[in-house]
Amino acid sequence: MDMAASLQPSAVQQWMNNLAAHENALLAQRVAAAEAKAAAAELLKDQVVEAEARAAAAEAWAAAVAEERETEKGAEGDAAEGAAPSWLARLAGGEVDSLGEVEVVSAVSEAAMTARAPAESLDDVAAKQRWLKSLDVPMWGRAAVALSEAASDAAGMAALSAQCDSGDDVSCRILSEQEEDSQARLERLNVPNWGAAAAVLSVAASDAAAVSHAALEALEAFGFNLKGYRPKGGASPEAEEEE
């Protein structure tokens, strides 16, 4: 009896030690996981900052190259060629309803076809590269984003219409509250319903993204080919990065 009594405190102490060790191990795991997450977040932040810096340097350098080229050529035709058309500026500014104009839809579609078309000869490659370099890359990028957002909104309205048709009172009430504005937008887009609007906007967004991507690739290739070249008032993106 006395021996059992003497062993009991020792067993309790051992249990407490084991519990403390287990809690310490769990705490260490949590600390390690938190540190790993913090390190990953910091790495992602650094990558974002680096990407933004490279993009800013590339844009500034490309602008310097374009300015020097226009100055040296002094050519009005060159400046006119590089100027963004008014319909593109409208799309980039969020005026996506201008897709209701046949000329705008055709212009976006033709630009995308040219951007996607494979070059069949060296002359074709050179001509296509000149055309791509003449484009306003940021403008096409903004147009693609605006069209994509509008396509998403139109798809949401199409879903509401489908829910209303299936008897959902809430969806019908929302559509009723926006009926006048919705009808006006559909008329400007020259489409019968939101499903058709979503389709038109999605195709245009895809086309604008294709042009933007192709033009950006051409700009990057142009920068690579002129590596080490320093235009007046600007440096190459590689030089900016090294600094």
Side-chain angles (χ1 to χ4, degrees):
M1 192 74 175
D2 292 337
M3 183 177 293
S6 65
L7 291 174
Q8 187 173 4
S10 177
V12 171
Q13 184 63 43
Q14 183 62 39
W15 178 81
M16 292 180 66
N17 289 340
N18 291 341
L19 179 61
H22 180 67
E23 290 178 345
N24 288 337
L26 287 177
L27 179 59
Q29 290 177 0
R30 290 172 183 168
V31 170
E35 290 176 347
K37 288 182 179 179
E42 190 64 25
L43 178 61
L44 179 60
K45 180 180 177 182
D46 291 342
Q47 290 174 344
V48 170
V49 171
E50 182 181 357
E52 290 177 344
R54 286 182 177 179
E59 185 172 351
W61 179 71
V65 171
E67 183 179 355
E68 179 181 349
R69 185 172 54 190
E70 289 177 8
T71 300
E72 289 177 349
K73 292 183 179 180
E76 279 174 35
D78 196 47
E81 182 184 358
S86 60
W87 56 264
L88 179 58
R90 287 158 58 196
L91 291 176
E95 298 180 31
V96 297
D97 293 351
S98 58
L99 279 179
E101 302 172 18
V102 176
E103 295 80 3
V104 176
V105 176
S106 297
V108 174
S109 178
E110 289 173 6
M113 288 178 62
T114 303
R116 293 183 176 120
E120 298 180 354
S121 68
L122 291 177
D123 289 340
D124 291 341
V125 171
K128 183 174 180 178
Q129 289 300 308
R130 285 195 300 272
W131 174 73
L132 287 171
K133 283 183 242 174
S134 74
L135 299 177
D136 189 326
V137 182
M139 188 80 75
W140 276 100
R142 289 196 296 272
V145 171
L147 289 166
S148 179
E149 292 176 348
S152 178
D153 291 342
M157 293 297 292
L160 278 177
S161 298
Q163 291 169 1
C164 177
D165 292 341
S166 65
D168 184 62
D169 293 338
V170 175
S171 298
C172 291
R173 184 168 67 253
I174 294 174
L175 289 174
S176 177
E177 292 172 352
Q178 303 179 17
E179 182 176 4
E180 185 175 346
D181 180 61
S182 295
Q183 191 59 39
R185 285 203 61 193
L186 291 175
E187 288 177 0
R188 288 195 297 270
L189 283 169
N190 197 26
V191 291
N193 52 56
W194 282 111
V200 169
L201 290 165
S202 295
V203 170
S206 177
D207 286 346
V211 176
S212 176
H213 179 72
L216 182 58
E217 283 189 338
L219 179 60
E220 290 174 346
F222 179 62
F224 176 79
N225 291 335
L226 294 183
K227 185 175 182 180
Y229 170 70
R230 185 182 184 88
K232 300 170 187 170
S236 69
E238 291 82 5
E240 293 277 353
E241 185 177 346
E242 289 174 2
E243 292 175 357

